[in-house]
Amino acid sequence: MNDIDYQEITKWIIIVIVVGFPGQFGKSFIPYLIKRVRKKEARAASEKSEVSVSQPAEPDQRKAMIDTTEAQGKAEKRPRRHSRS
């Protein structure tokens, strides 16, 4: 029993450590990576949608739109008068 091959033992210890490390920590590391990639994709999608937002209307156009909506609101609030026959 004096034939102990220390190189073979060292090789197997290194193999077990190299394979065991990702096996042990991969359970939490892989979901972390997936979450990180999804967050980047969501951020890119939101930036893309922000870019496509139209520019605000000119002040004159906004005033015209407000006047129009106010007129519509007043027309809806007026009571209807029935004609008497």
Side-chain angles (χ1 to χ4, degrees), residues 5-50:
D5 188 8
Y6 291 107
Q7 287 181 340
E8 188 73 20
I9 293 171
T10 306
K11 179 181 84 171
W12 279 105
I13 290 173
I14 291 172
I15 288 173
V16 168
I17 290 173
V18 167
V19 172
F21 186 81
Q24 178 65 30
F25 295 104
K27 290 179 183 178
S28 59
F29 186 62
I30 296 299
Y32 166 76
L33 289 178
I34 292 171
K35 233 188 275 186
R36 193 169 160 191
V37 168
R38 287 183 180 164
K39 189 184 281 188
K40 279 185 181 179
E41 289 174 353
R43 191 177 307 141
S46 68
E47 287 175 0
K48 187 181 280 187
S49 66
E50 288 176 6

Side-chain angles (χ1 to χ4, degrees), residues 54-72:
S54 63
Q55 295 295 325
E58 294 296 321
D60 295 337
Q61 293 174 339
R62 278 189 253 150
K63 186 174 183 325
M65 288 191 304
I66 291 171
D67 292 342
T68 305
T69 55
E70 286 177 0
Q72 289 174 349

